[in-house]
Amino acid sequence: MSKIKELKPIMDEVLRRKEELAGMPPQYENVSDNTIVMQLTPWRVQLIEVYAKSLTTSLDHSIDDIRQWGSELSEQLVKVQLPLDVGLHEIAYYRNTIGEIIRDEAENQDMSFADFYHIVSQFNAVVDEAVQIVSRSYMKSFHNSIEAAKYAIDELSVPVVQLTSNIGVIPIIGEVDTKRAQYLMSNALEKSAELQLRTLILDLSGVSVVDTMVAGQIFKVMDSLRLIGVEAVLSGVRPEVAQTMVNLGIRVEGKVYRDLRTAVEEKKMISK
């Protein structure tokens, strides 16, 4: 209890100056927009508070606090597109700044070397944990943001375009792997139901390679559409693709149109 009583003035001094310290952030040469850096001010205040309270609380409790802070900061860094270096620099900058306060207050109290060493050791343990958690959390948040972007791109790569009130088309371009086939399936079913389509044309004009996996995925989409009352047809099968499908023994059920224009014109005539 006596040691905590000795350390409380140091904690109080850091907390008293937290707003002042947070308002004097480190300078960044590689960050042009200073307003973005200033958005981190609330996290600086929290970091200073955790650093200060670590002087009078248990190491386990301080570690829990710094882990929560580090996770939130990492998400913010990724959100505003700041590099990991910014977070690590903040941690080091306020370690030095608060370390100087600790040193000065320890001198004022004529603290023994053993007590000073104990304070610095626990303080550095919290700082080290901050470095670890920010690094790990940043990479996790960055990875999640990349995956979310890829998901959005994949969804856009298989759009359902409404041509008439009841006819739609999905222009399939490029390779169709298992993951993209899943987006094709979900988009085809969801949009067809949402747009109340009677016919959905799967246009393969932009597909240059078809194997049994690709063909199987496309036919699964067509079968699923039929189950919800939507006629699914193919258009734009290129000669080399047609030859490959025949050589692989792939049988196509339903009508196949030479090109998208022919398919649309015929379906328009039927719907009249």
Side-chain angles (χ1 to χ4, degrees):
M1 179 66 71
S2 59
K3 183 167 290 188
I4 292 178
K5 186 176 181 180
E6 293 174 2
L7 297 177
K8 190 174 183 303
I10 303 178
M11 179 190 72
D12 291 341
E13 176 63 15
V14 175
L15 291 176
R16 183 184 70 80
R17 296 179 56 186
K18 66 180 180 181
E19 299 293 342
E20 170 197 345
L21 297 173
M24 297 185 298
Q27 299 299 311
Y28 297 98
E29 296 179 358
N30 59 338
V31 179
S32 57
D33 190 352
N34 194 51
T35 59
I36 295 179
V37 175
M38 293 308 296
Q39 290 179 28
L40 301 180
T41 299
W43 281 269
R44 291 192 191 97
V45 173
Q46 292 175 16
L47 175 63
I48 294 168
E49 289 176 348
V50 174
Y51 278 172
K53 292 175 182 177
S54 71
L55 301 174
T56 59
T57 57
S58 68
L59 181 59
D60 289 342
H61 185 78
S62 298
I63 293 296
D64 289 340
D65 288 344
I66 205 67
R67 284 176 179 170
Q68 181 178 351
W69 171 85
S71 298
E72 294 175 356
L73 174 69
S74 300
E75 291 178 4
Q76 180 67 10
L77 290 175
V78 173
K79 182 179 179 180
V80 298
Q81 300 182 345
L82 285 174
L84 174 60
D85 290 352
V86 169
L88 299 180
H89 191 42
E90 296 272 341
I91 292 169
Y93 175 80
Y94 284 104
R95 184 217 305 250
N96 296 335
T97 302
I98 294 175
E100 291 174 0
I101 297 176
I102 293 174
R103 179 200 62 200
D104 294 343
E105 290 297 316
E107 288 180 353
N108 292 337
Q109 293 187 32
D110 196 21
M111 189 176 292
S112 69
F113 177 79
D115 287 343
F116 180 72
Y117 179 79
H118 172 77
I119 296 171
V120 172
S121 296
Q122 178 157 319
F123 177 62
N124 283 335
V126 174
V127 175
D128 291 341
E129 183 64 26
V131 172
Q132 293 294 323
I133 192 64
V134 167
S135 299
R136 291 197 302 267
S137 299
Y138 182 91
M139 295 310 298
K140 182 179 179 180
S141 297
F142 184 77
H143 175 75
N144 290 340
S145 69
I146 293 296
E147 288 299 309
K150 286 172 61 179
Y151 179 85
I153 291 172
D154 286 334
E155 278 196 313
L156 291 173
S157 70
V158 283
V160 176
V161 181
Q162 187 170 15
L163 302 177
T164 68
S165 60
N166 53 27
I167 300 174
V169 60
I170 293 184
I172 305 173
I173 300 173
E175 297 182 1
V176 180
D177 56 17
T178 303
K179 190 172 183 180
R180 193 174 178 212
Q182 293 174 351
Y183 294 122
L184 173 61
M185 174 75 79
S186 60
N187 272 15
L189 294 174
E190 292 174 7
K191 291 297 183 180
S192 293
E194 178 185 330
L195 301 174
Q196 298 182 339
L197 301 179
R198 287 202 306 225
T199 301
L200 184 62
I201 305 168
L202 303 180
D203 183 65
L204 305 182
S205 302
V207 178
S208 57
V209 178
V210 169
D211 55 21
T212 51
M213 188 280 289
V214 173
Q217 295 290 354
I218 291 174
F219 295 150
K220 283 182 182 178
V221 173
M222 297 176 71
D223 290 340
S224 298
L225 287 167
R226 293 187 187 106
L227 288 176
I228 63 171
V230 178
E231 180 190 15
V233 299
L234 295 178
S235 72
V237 178
R238 298 164 65 170
E240 61 271 26
V241 172
Q243 185 176 4
T244 301
M245 292 174 73
V246 171
N247 291 337
L248 292 173
I250 299 171
R251 297 179 60 85
V252 180
E253 297 182 4
K255 197 160 185 179
V256 180
Y257 293 89
R258 179 179 59 192
D259 53 43
L260 179 58
R261 178 180 177 182
T262 304
V264 173
E265 288 179 348
E266 181 170 320
K267 291 303 174 183
K268 281 184 176 180
M269 291 293 295
I270 294 173
S271 63
K272 286 183 178 180

